[in-house]
C-alpha cells in the first residue's frame, strides 16, 4: 500500500488553535492516502487527547531550541511519496486544490510545491500579508531540515508547483510592534551568535544575525554580518535563497546607515556580479531607483526603472524561475507591489530630464486597469503634473495616447481636450469620467464643468446629498473670496435642475458672505431672509410639521435651529417690533456662533433705530451685546482665530468705544498671525 502524502506537525500546548489546525487537515486525511505525524513538545494531557483523535503517530520531543532537530524527528518517520509540514498555530482555509493535485496524479510531474501563508499582524485578522512558502516536496533520502532557527527544508528543487491554497497564521500577531521586536530579537540573537561561533562558515547564520540586528536598528552590525555572509555564500557552487537575501539587502542596509552614495555604489557592483540572478536584479533595481531619487541622479535612475521593468516582465514570463529565485521577504509578488512606486519615480526622473519619450513609455507600463492598485498613487500623479507646471501641456499630451478606460487617465484627457479647445470632445470625455469618478476628483470635475458650462447632471447622479454637503462646505471654505464669487455665479445656473443641491451651496455661500462683509440694513435683512428661507425650505421637505414646530429639538440640524428663530425675529423687525425680536435673536446667537457676527450687524441697526427720539435704549439690547462678547471670548478660548476675527470686526463696529473688544482684537491678531486669510 502506497502513502501519497506524509503530514508532519510540530505541536506544543496551543489549544486555542490546535483544534482548527487538525480539523483543516481532516479532508486531506480522508480523501488521500496520507498519514499524520505529530512531534509533540508540550506537556498538557488535554492536548494529547485532542491529537489522539486524529493520529496515533505521536513522537514525544524535549524542546532544545533547535527547530531543525524537531522537524527532522517527524521527517525521519515519514513514509509518503511527498512530505508536507506545518505548525499548530496555522490551519488551511481550503484543501481541495491540494487534494486535486494528488488525486489527479499531477504531483508526479513536480519535485516541490508552494502554498500561501497568510500572516496576520493583529488578533482581529484585519491586517495581514500573504507569502508563498515551500513546505511540500517529494520525499527522498536526501530530504532534511537544516538550521536551528528559521529552518529550511532541502533539497527544494524544480519543477515546482505554485498552489493558491493558504493557511491562516496568527503567530506574528502582537498587540504592539515593539513588543514583537523586543521579544523575538532577545530570544533569537544570543543562540544565533553562539551558533556562528561554532560554525563561522555559515552564510545562512550571517543572514539571520543581520536580520536580527536590522530589527533593532543596529545597522552597522547588520551590514557587517551581511558582508560576511555574502563572502561565504559565494564559495557555494549553487546560489541559495540566503545569498539572494544578502545581495539585495546589503545596499539597503548601508543606506540605513546614512551613506547613500556607498549604498548606490554597492548596489551597482552587485548588479554586475555573475551570481546575481534575475530576481536579485529586480529587487536591487527597486532600491537603486529610490537611492537615485534621493541623490537626484535622474538619468541614472531611469536606467534602473527600465531594468526593473525588464526583469519584472522576464520573471512574469518565466514563473518556474520566479518561484525558485526567492528569499525571506523577497518574492515576485513582493516585487510586484513596488511596480507603481518605481514607475512613479521614473516619471519624475523623466520630467527632470525633459525626456518625454520615456515618460510616455513609463505611463504605458502602468497597470491602469487595476484601479485598486493605482488609486493610492493618484495624489502622487497629481504632484508630478503640478511640480512641473511649465511642462503640464506636454504631460497631458502623454496621457492622450494611453489606451485605457482608467478614470484618472480619462480626466487628464478631458483637461488636454479643454486646452486644445476641443469642447465637444472634452464634454464627451467629461461625461464618461463623471459616471465613474475616482474618490477625491469630483472637485476637479466640477471645476471643469463650471469653466465650460457642462450640465452637472451626469456628475450629480452619482453624488449623494451627504457628499454634496461636504463639497459645498469645502469649496466655499477653500476658495479666495473673489474666486468664489465668480465660481458661484457660474455654477448656480447649472444647479437649477437640482434645487436641493442648489440651496445647500447657496447657504454655504451666504454664510461666507454674511460673516465677512458689512451691509446696509436693508441689504443685510434681505440676505438674512434669503438665507433663512433657503434653510427652512430644505427642512420642510425633510421633516414633519410637528417636528419643525419645535425648532429647539436637538435632533434638527444646527442651521435650522438657528434659522427658525432668526426668521421670526426678522419678521418682527420688519414690523417695527424691535424689542420683541430680542429674545429670538438671543436664542439664535447661542445656537450657531459662526453667525454671531452677523447678528451683531443686525444689533447695530437696531441700536440706531432704538436711539431715535421715538424709543429709548432697552436693557435687553445691552444684555444681548454682552452675549455677543461672550461668544467672542469662547472663540478666543477655543483658538478659533479666523472665526473670532470676523465676529470681533462686526462687534467693534457695534461697540467702537468698548476697550475690552480692542484688547481682544490685539490678542486675536497676535495669536492668529500665522493663519492664512485672517484678514
Amino acid at each position: 500500500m502506497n502513502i501519497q502524502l506524509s503530514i508532519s506537525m510540530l505541536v506544543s500546548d496551543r489549544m486555542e488553535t490546535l483544534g482548527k489546525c487538525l480539523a483543516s487537515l481532516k479532508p486531506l486525511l480522508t480523501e488521500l492516502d496520507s498519514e499524520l505525524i505529530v512531534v509533540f513538545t508540550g506537556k498538557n494531557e488535554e492536548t494529547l487527547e485532542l491529537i489522539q483523535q486524529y493520529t496515533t503517530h505521536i513522537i514525544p520531543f524535549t524542546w532544545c531550541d533547535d527547530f531543525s532537530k524537531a522537524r527532522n524527528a517527524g521527517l525521519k518517520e515519514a513514509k509518503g511519496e511527498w512530505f508536507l509540514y506545518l505548525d499548530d498555530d496555522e490551519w488551511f482555509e481550503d484543501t481541495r486544490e491540494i487534494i486535486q493535485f494528488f488525486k489527479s496524479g499531477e504531483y508526479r510531474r513536480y519535485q516541490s510545491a508552494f502554498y500561501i501563508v497568510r500572516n496576520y499582524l493583529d488578533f482581529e485578522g484585519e491586517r495581514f500579508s500573504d507569502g508563498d512558502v515551500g513546505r511540500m516536496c517529494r520525499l527522498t533520502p536526501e530530504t532534511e531540515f537544516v538550521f536551528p532557527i528559521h529552518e529550511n527544508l532541502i533539497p527544494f528543487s524544480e519543477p515546482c508547483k505554485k498552489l493558491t491554497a493558504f493557511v491562516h497564521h496568527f503567530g506574528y500577531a502582537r498587540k504592539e510592534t515593539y513588543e514583537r521586536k523586543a521579544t523575538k530579537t532577545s530570544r533569537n540573537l544570543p543562540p544565533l551568535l553562539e551558533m556562528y561561533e561554532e560554525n563561522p562558515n555559515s552564510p545562512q547564520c550571517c543572514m539571520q544575525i543581520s536580520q536580527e540586528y536590522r530589527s533593532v536598528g543596529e545597522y552597522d552590525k547588520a551590514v557587517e554580518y551581511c558582508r560576511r555572509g555574502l563572502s561565504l555564500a559565494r564559495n557555494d557552487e549553487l546560489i541559495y535563497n540566503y545569498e539572494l537575501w544578502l545581495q539585495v539587502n546589503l545596499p539597503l542596509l548601508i543606506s540605513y546607515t546614512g551613506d547613500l552614495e556607498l549604498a548606490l555604489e554597492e548596489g551597482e557592483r552587485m548588479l554586475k556580479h555573475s551570481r546575481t540572478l534575475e530576481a536579485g536584479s529586480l529587487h536591487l533595481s527597486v532600491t537603486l531607483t529610490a537611492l537615485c531619487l534621493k541623490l537626484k541622479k535622474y538619468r541614472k535612475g531611469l536606467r534602473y526603472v527600465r531594468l526593473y521593468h525588464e526583469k519584472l516582465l522576464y520573471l512574469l514570463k518565466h514563473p518556474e524561475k520566479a518561484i525558485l529565485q526567492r528569499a525571506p521577504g523577497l518574492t515576485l509578488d513582493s516585487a510586484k507591489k513596488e511596480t507603481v512606486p518605481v514607475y512613479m519615480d521614473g516619471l519624475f526622473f523623466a520630467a527632470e530630464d525633459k525626456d518625454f519619450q520615456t515618460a510616455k513609455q513609463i505611463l504605458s507600463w502602468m497597470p491602469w486597469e487595476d484601479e485598486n492598485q493605482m488609486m493610492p498613487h493618484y495624489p502622487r500623479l497629481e504632484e508630478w503634473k503640478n511640480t512641473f507646471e511649465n511642462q503640464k501641456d506636454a504631460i497631458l499630451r502623454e496621457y492622450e495616447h494611453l489606451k485605457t478606460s482608467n478614470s484618472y487617465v480619462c480626466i487628464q484627457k478631458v483637461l488636454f481636450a479643454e486646452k486644445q479647445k476641443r469642447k465637444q470632445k472634452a464634454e464627451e470625455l467629461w461625461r464618461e469620467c463623471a459616471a465613474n469618478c475616482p474618490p477625491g476628483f469630483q472637485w476637479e470635475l466640477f471645476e471643469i464643468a463650471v469653466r465650460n458650462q457642462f450640465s452637472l447632471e451626469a456628475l450629480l447622479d452619482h453624488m449623494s446629498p451627504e457628499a454634496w454637503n461636504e463639497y459645498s462646505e469645502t469649496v466655499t471654505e477653500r476658495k479666495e473670496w473673489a474666486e468664489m464669487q465668480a465660481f458661484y455665479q457660474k455654477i448656480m445656473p447649472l444647479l437649477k435642475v437640482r434645487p436641493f443641491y442648489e440651496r445647500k451651496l447657496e447657504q454655504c455661500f451666504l454664510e461666507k458672505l454674511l460673516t465677512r462683509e458689512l451691509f446696509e440694513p436693508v441689504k443685510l435683512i434681505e440676505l438674512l431672509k434669503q438665507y433663512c428661507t433657503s434653510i427652512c425650505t430644505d427642512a420642510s421637505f425633510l421633516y414633519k410639521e410637528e417636528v419643525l414646530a419645535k425648532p429647539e429639538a436637538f435632533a434638527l440640524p444646527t442651521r435650522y435651529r438657528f434659522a427658525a428663530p432668526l426668521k421670526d425675529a426678522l419678521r418682527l423687525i420688519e414690523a417695527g417690533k424691535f424689542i420683541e425680536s430680542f429674545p429670538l435673536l438671543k436664542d439664535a446667537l447661542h445656537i450657531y456662533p459662526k453667525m454671531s457676527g452677523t447678528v451683531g450687524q443686525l444689533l447695530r441697526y437696531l441700536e440706531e433705530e432704538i436711539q431715535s427720539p421715538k424709543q429709548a435704549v432697552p436693557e435687553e439690547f445691552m444684555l444681548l451685546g454682552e452675549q455677543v462678547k461672550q461668544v467672542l471670548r469662547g472663540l478666543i478660548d477655543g483658538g478659533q482665530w479666523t472665526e473670532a476675527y470676523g465676529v470681533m470686526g462686526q462687534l467693534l463696529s457695534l461697540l467702537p468705544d468698548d476697550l475690552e473688544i480692542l484688547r481682544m482684537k490685539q490678542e486675536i491678531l497676535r495669536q492668529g498671525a500665522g493663519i492664512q486669510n485672517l484678514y
Side-chain angles (χ1 to χ4, degrees):
M1 187 172 293
N2 183 48
I3 297 177
Q4 288 178 300
L5 179 65
S6 294
I7 305 168
S8 180
M9 282 179 62
L10 194 57
V11 176
S12 56
D13 285 320
R14 288 183 282 209
M15 286 294 290
E16 68 276 8
T17 55
L18 177 60
K20 292 179 182 178
C21 180
L22 290 168
S24 76
L25 298 176
K26 187 177 178 182
L28 292 173
L29 298 171
T30 302
E31 296 287 332
L32 301 178
D33 292 332
S34 57
E35 63 173 344
L36 174 61
I37 304 166
V38 171
V39 179
F40 182 53
T41 65
K43 298 178 180 178
N44 195 324
E45 286 296 324
E46 187 181 355
T47 309
L48 267 177
E49 289 174 8
L50 180 56
I51 296 169
Q52 287 165 352
Q53 294 178 31
Y54 289 85
T55 183
T56 58
H57 201 160
I58 302 171
I59 304 170
F61 188 88
T62 302
W63 185 247
C64 60
D65 292 329
D66 190 322
F67 283 92
S68 286
K69 285 183 179 178
R71 297 285 189 200
N72 283 326
L75 177 64
K76 189 183 296 184
E77 301 202 18
K79 304 297 182 185
E81 292 182 67
W82 274 58
F83 181 80
L84 180 155
Y85 72 97
L86 74 165
D87 289 330
D88 59 352
D89 64 347
E90 49 192 27
W91 59 92
F92 280 100
E93 172 70 15
D94 188 338
T95 56
R96 283 177 292 181
E97 186 183 15
I98 298 175
I99 291 169
Q100 182 61 24
F101 179 63
F102 284 97
K103 274 195 165 185
S104 66
E106 184 184 7
Y107 74 100
R108 296 190 181 94
R109 303 203 303 267
Y110 293 92
Q111 294 295 320
S112 56
F114 287 86
Y115 60 79
I116 297 168
V117 170
R118 177 159 292 177
N119 289 305
Y120 292 93
L121 305 177
D122 57 52
F123 290 109
E124 293 74 32
E126 295 178 357
R127 297 186 300 121
F128 60 83
S129 62
D130 287 346
D132 296 331
V133 291
R135 294 194 181 171
M136 292 173 60
C137 72
R138 187 176 296 281
L139 193 55
T140 70
E142 292 76 30
T143 306
E144 66 172 331
F145 286 94
V146 294
F147 218 71
I149 296 174
H150 305 302
E151 68 282 9
N152 280 352
L153 180 61
I154 63 169
F156 208 81
S157 52
E158 57 183 339
C160 192
K161 173 72 173 179
K162 185 175 180 179
L163 301 166
T164 59
F166 70 91
V167 293
H168 301 278
H169 179 233
F170 281 81
Y172 293 126
R174 295 290 185 274
K175 291 182 180 179
E176 296 290 340
T177 301
Y178 173 80
E179 176 188 343
R180 179 173 73 248
K181 285 183 177 178
T183 302
K184 292 190 72 175
T185 301
S186 62
R187 182 187 70 197
N188 291 344
L189 193 52
L192 281 171
L193 290 170
E194 185 179 332
M195 282 184 282
Y196 180 70
E197 285 184 14
E198 295 174 1
N199 184 12
N201 295 319
S202 170
Q204 188 170 11
C205 190
C206 290
M207 175 192 78
Q208 295 185 344
I209 293 172
S210 181
Q211 288 174 330
E212 297 299 329
Y213 277 122
R214 180 183 65 175
S215 70
V216 293
E218 293 190 34
Y219 301 122
D220 288 329
K221 282 284 189 183
V223 169
E224 176 188 340
Y225 279 93
C226 194
R227 287 191 185 279
R228 290 187 195 178
L230 196 57
S231 177
L232 292 168
R234 288 172 178 170
N235 295 325
D236 295 337
E237 182 180 350
L238 299 177
I239 300 173
Y240 293 102
N241 62 353
Y242 49 76
E243 185 172 358
L244 171 61
W245 190 94
L246 295 162
Q247 289 171 344
V248 172
N249 278 276
L250 181 56
L252 194 61
L253 291 170
I254 294 172
S255 74
Y256 294 161
T257 69
D259 195 338
L260 303 187
E261 288 285 0
L262 179 60
L264 182 61
E265 291 171 13
E266 194 69 66
E268 290 176 330
R269 280 196 293 271
M270 205 71 68
L271 280 177
K272 296 174 183 176
H273 201 281
S274 60
R275 292 177 67 89
T276 301
L277 303 177
E278 292 83 5
S281 298
L282 176 66
H283 290 284
L284 281 167
S285 62
V286 176
T287 299
L288 295 179
T289 298
L291 288 170
C292 286
L293 184 66
K294 292 176 182 177
L295 293 168
K296 299 183 178 180
K297 297 180 182 288
Y298 305 123
R299 189 163 296 182
K300 181 176 284 190
L302 278 176
R303 186 193 312 162
Y304 297 124
V305 173
R306 294 189 189 100
L307 179 65
Y308 172 87
H309 182 68
E310 173 194 332
K311 298 303 179 183
L312 179 64
L313 291 184
Y314 177 85
L315 289 171
L316 288 172
K317 290 178 182 177
H318 299 85
E320 73 285 353
K321 288 185 178 292
I323 207 164
L324 290 176
Q325 294 181 25
R326 51 193 294 119
L330 301 173
T331 65
L332 179 58
D333 286 341
S334 69
K336 283 168 63 179
K337 290 178 182 177
E338 302 298 327
T339 298
V340 181
V342 168
Y343 292 164
M344 278 304 317
D345 287 347
L347 291 176
F348 277 87
F349 295 152
E352 290 283 2
D353 203 37
K354 294 184 173 56
D355 184 353
F356 287 101
Q357 188 59 35
T358 299
K360 178 180 177 180
Q361 188 177 47
I362 294 173
L363 283 172
S364 71
W365 296 342
M366 289 281 191
W368 295 112
E369 301 309 321
D370 188 344
E371 285 274 9
N372 291 331
Q373 188 177 355
M374 290 301 306
M375 198 173 296
H377 301 282
Y378 291 153
R380 195 161 182 228
L381 283 166
E382 285 294 285
E383 180 191 350
W384 174 57
K385 184 175 66 177
N386 295 325
T387 298
F388 301 96
E389 183 70 30
N390 60 337
Q391 302 175 30
K392 186 175 284 189
D393 288 356
I395 288 172
L396 290 175
R397 184 177 293 108
E398 303 311 328
Y399 282 110
E400 176 72 9
H401 302 296
L402 295 176
K403 306 296 182 184
T404 174
S405 59
N406 178 274
S407 50
Y408 177 82
V409 174
C410 186
I411 293 173
Q412 310 317 305
K413 290 182 178 182
V414 174
L415 292 170
F416 183 71
E418 182 187 24
K419 280 186 171 291
Q420 297 293 306
K421 302 189 185 306
R422 295 155 55 198
K423 188 172 181 179
Q424 184 175 349
K425 180 65 174 177
E427 185 169 7
E428 177 186 323
L429 288 166
W430 184 90
R431 291 181 181 281
E432 185 181 327
C433 295
N436 187 31
C437 181
F441 285 90
Q442 286 95 342
W443 178 288
E444 186 153 25
L445 288 179
F446 277 116
E447 296 288 327
I448 295 170
V450 170
R451 283 198 302 267
N452 296 279
Q453 291 294 285
F454 297 157
S455 169
L456 292 175
E457 286 191 76
L459 186 55
L460 296 178
D461 282 343
H462 299 275
M463 198 170 193
S464 67
E466 293 79 14
W468 174 256
N469 291 348
E470 184 179 350
Y471 169 76
S472 299
E473 299 276 359
T474 304
V475 73
T476 310
E477 183 67 30
R478 287 186 183 177
K479 284 186 178 293
E480 297 290 342
W481 178 237
E483 184 187 7
M484 184 61 208
Q485 285 179 298
F487 182 80
Y488 182 76
Q489 295 300 321
K490 288 184 176 181
I491 194 173
M492 288 303 280
L494 302 176
L495 293 172
K496 292 296 183 185
V497 293
R498 298 291 179 96
F500 178 79
Y501 287 58
E502 180 187 21
R503 287 192 296 271
K504 285 298 178 186
L505 184 60
E506 176 187 46
Q507 292 156 26
C508 293
F509 178 80
L510 287 173
E511 281 186 8
K512 186 165 187 174
L513 175 64
L514 286 164
T515 56
R516 76 178 309 279
E517 292 190 18
L518 298 175
F519 295 96
E520 291 297 320
V522 175
K523 182 65 173 176
L524 174 63
I525 291 173
E526 178 189 337
L527 289 172
L528 284 172
K529 283 174 63 179
Q530 181 184 349
Y531 176 74
C532 293
T533 300
S534 179
I535 293 171
C536 293
T537 301
D538 276 352
S540 67
F541 283 108
L542 296 172
Y543 302 100
K544 292 182 178 180
E545 190 174 341
E546 55 266 32
V547 175
L548 297 179
K550 297 181 179 180
E552 71 278 4
F554 289 103
L556 292 171
T558 302
R559 276 194 180 126
Y560 180 75
R561 290 190 287 114
F562 170 75
L566 181 58
K567 185 178 181 182
D568 292 339
L570 291 171
R571 193 179 297 115
L572 290 171
I573 291 168
E574 286 191 313
K577 299 178 180 180
F578 301 147
I579 295 176
E580 289 90 332
S581 72
F582 287 168
L584 294 169
L585 290 172
K586 179 180 177 181
D587 290 343
L589 184 70
H590 287 292
I591 292 168
Y592 201 17
K594 181 178 181 179
M595 293 290 284
S596 59
T598 305
V599 175
Q601 290 187 53
L602 195 55
L603 288 171
R604 182 181 180 184
Y605 165 64
L606 294 179
E607 178 190 33
E608 292 172 353
E609 289 297 310
I610 291 172
Q611 286 179 345
S612 68
K614 294 179 286 185
Q615 300 186 58
V617 178
E619 183 181 353
E620 289 91 340
F621 173 78
M622 300 304 295
L623 290 173
L624 196 55
E626 183 59 38
Q627 289 170 359
V628 177
K629 284 167 64 176
Q630 188 61 37
V631 170
L632 180 57
R633 293 186 193 104
L635 292 172
I636 291 172
D637 291 341
Q640 297 173 268
W641 306 113
T642 302
E643 294 84 350
Y645 186 82
V647 173
M648 177 275 301
Q650 294 162 357
L651 189 57
L652 191 59
S653 66
L654 178 68
L655 302 172
D657 298 324
D658 193 314
L659 295 178
E660 182 184 5
I661 299 174
L662 289 176
R663 289 196 300 273
M664 287 192 285
K665 176 182 179 181
Q666 295 170 64
E667 181 181 355
I668 293 167
L669 290 171
R670 283 195 303 271
Q671 299 294 336
I675 299 177
Q676 188 178 8
N677 298 330
L678 183 62
Y679 300 97

